[in-house]
Amino acid sequence: MLKKIILLGPPGSGKGTQAKRLAESFGYLHLSTGDMLRDEVKKGSQLGQKAKAIMEKGELVPDTLIVAMIKSRLAVDNGGVILDGFPRTVAQAEALDAMLTEAGETIDRALLVDVSDGEVTKRLLGRAEIEGRADDTPNVIANRLNVYKQQTEPIVDYYSKLSKLTRINGEQVIEQVFADLKAVVRG
Ligand code: AP5
């Protein structure tokens, strides 16, 4: 059974949906940096105040803030963890490696949920009508996709070079994507 898992993919690819299901199914910890940041914004903490405007534009919160935030939650106790939305830059991937190495651990696999720009845009605009998330507007969605390509896609290469990358077709019904992901996590 794989234990330290990263879910990678563009905004709206289904990382949150699948991470929650995987964490429940395997009894793993689900760590979503997006959810953590939204909590900080809601609380009005110092971090939340810094992150709010950045998130509303669809830009990335600085690596130093993200790494400090995740470090305090990443219980390195040999348990399973599903990382959702982190790492998002090569600097974050390197910081994660350093954190885990210090504890004698390593990332087992990065699962890339592959979905086209057209499909993720359709999904996020659909979600906007139901949930009204501040960053689900047409302009911000376009910027998030751009930021993903510029700053996050390089980590696909990073894990590929380490032979730790598996691509999953994310343009299938939720149940099928979940079945494909579970098969990889089972090892
Ligand atoms: P974050 O919350 O991580 O947003 P995101 O990556 O843009 O992801 P989403 O939550 O929009 O999509 P998802 O892939 O989780 O898909 P979901 O399951 O929700 O980050 C928000 C912001 O926080 C960032 O822009 C940045 O500012 C900041 N941030 C976060 N982490 C950071 C980091 N590490 N470094 C720096 N900044 C950071 O699904 C989307 C919709 O599609 C839902 O309605 C769902 O029901 C539907 N859906 C899911 N799967 C399917 C399917 N198979 N078929 C049809 N519909 C589906």
Side-chain angles (χ1 to χ4, degrees), residues 82-157:
I82 311 282
L83 292 168
D84 158 16
F86 175 85
R88 236 171 166 105
T89 61
V90 171
Q92 290 181 18
E94 289 170 348
L96 174 63
D97 278 351
M99 270 182 246
L100 291 174
T101 303
E102 216 173 281
E105 303 266 359
T106 186
I107 284 296
D108 291 315
R109 198 130 283 267
L111 299 167
L112 173 62
V113 185
D114 243 341
V115 182
S116 67
D117 288 3
E119 174 64 18
V120 295
T121 304
K122 198 176 86 189
R123 287 182 192 175
L124 295 177
L125 290 175
R127 184 173 68 184
E129 286 179 16
I130 304 161
E131 293 178 23
R133 219 172 91 170
D135 57 350
D136 282 345
T137 61
N139 285 348
V140 179
I141 292 169
N143 192 39
R144 283 157 69 197
L145 281 171
N146 197 29
V147 166
Y148 175 77
K149 287 182 187 31
Q150 304 286 326
Q151 300 187 56
T152 304
E153 262 184 3
I155 68 176
V156 171
D157 213 35

